[in-house]
Amino acid sequence: MIPEAFDYAAPTTVEEALTLLAQAGDDGKILAGGQSLIPVLKLRLAAPEQIIDLGKIAGLSGVSEDGDSLVIGAMTSHHVVANDPLVALHAGLIQKASQTVADPQVRHRGTFGGALVHADPAGDLLAPALALDAAFVIAGPGGTRTVPADDFFRGLFTTAVGEDEILTEVRIPKTTGWGSDYQKFTRVAQQWSIVGVAAAIRVEGGTIAEARIGLTNMGSVPLRATAVEQALVGCALEAAAVEAATAAAGDGTDPPSDTNGDADFRRHLAGVLTARAVLAAGVA
Ligand SMILES: Cc1cc2nc3c(=O)[nH]c(=O)nc-3n(C[C@H](O)[C@H](O)[C@H](O)COP(=O)(O)OP(=O)(O)OC[C@H]3O[C@@H](n4cnc5c(N)ncnc54)[C@H](O)[C@@H]3O)c2cc1C
């Protein structure tokens, strides 16, 4: 289908983009990689009058280090995140999850920030960002603010980014030397996650010293399996022990029921996939 007509602007600074956004009010929309927004426009699920493309703003894209944090620009493509050596070294979980997003075409166009702001509960980058305690830097009319991951995802397709704001970068505390894995359960290749589990662990002498577990598509927002994280601390990196500590990963969650599986099946999957992710993280 063809979208409703709209005006298009491609500002070269964040300030200019914020001004355009303020002028457009409810009728403005940010365009990043367009991999979610363009289908929404073509299906006429939204009809903004002003599109503000961030693609020409230098400085919103790229990966860098800042002390104990890895900094990923909002406009950095999934392809770059999946292949960047700094991401691999300091945030292996983000690298592995990015590699599972869609196909090469989508990974070259779609952006890290766009996926996080879009906040599809089946999106693969939300749970890893939550598990790693990412911080989201948001620019708005009143200046810049930083929102922690546990306050960023507010509901279905809803984040802390306001209508008049732009996500500029994501700061991820380094987990250098940790093992990580992202288990994405799908029926066919290149499908959205039916359930996904993000795991990062720090191992000392064959025993788990710290664990982070994030769950994809187990509710309207990504979830942190904190009880499982605690149960894993002190656990030997062996199948029986890990399976016992992770079996309840789906407890207390409210996942969707659809043609891919009902909520009970998803809760069962969460336990199975968490064990697999932790054991795989132990060798990765
Ligand atoms: C065929 C296909 C398969 C896919 N499969 C997967 C998959 O398996 N796993 C997965 O995780 N994702 C998948 N995706 C989605 C992909 O990850 C998209 O890249 C992502 O959802 C949106 O990123 P984008 O840069 O394209 O954002 P856009 O589509 O441009 O924007 C999405 C939304 O975020 C807003 N926005 C974007 N950037 C900013 C910003 N910096 N500040 C404020 N607002 C912003 C836009 O206004 C819009 O509302 C798939 C997409 C397609 C088309």
Side-chain angles (χ1 to χ4, degrees), residues 11-14 54-61:
T12 53
T13 65
V14 172
L54 301 184
K56 287 196 165 49
I57 303 180
L60 284 185
S61 184

Side-chain angles (χ1 to χ4, degrees), residues 120-122 156 185-187 191-195 216-219 254-267 269:
D120 187 320
L156 198 67
F185 190 87
T186 56
R187 285 187 296 109
Q191 190 187 9
W192 294 84
S193 279
I194 296 172
V195 173
T216 299
N217 212 13
M218 291 299 291
D254 187 20
S257 290
D258 57 29
T259 51
N260 286 313
D262 63 19
D264 283 341
F265 175 62
R266 281 186 160 90
R267 278 188 282 267
L269 271 181

Side-chain angles (χ1 to χ4, degrees), residues 54-76:
L54 301 184
K56 287 196 165 49
I57 303 180
L60 284 185
S61 184
V63 178
S64 59
E65 290 178 85
D66 184 10
D68 292 337
S69 294
L70 185 78
V71 183
I72 302 180
M75 287 295 287
T76 312

Side-chain angles (χ1 to χ4, degrees), residues 29-37 54 74 78 100-102 106 110-111 113-115 117-118 123-124 161 165-167 184 191-192:
K29 199 75 184 152
I30 293 293
L31 175 69
Q35 297 305 293
S36 296
L37 182 61
L54 301 184
H78 301 312
T100 74
V101 172
V106 173
T111 67
V117 178
H118 188 57
D124 293 299
V161 179
E165 293 183 313
I166 294 172
L167 177 71
K184 175 170 175 167
Q191 190 187 9
W192 294 84

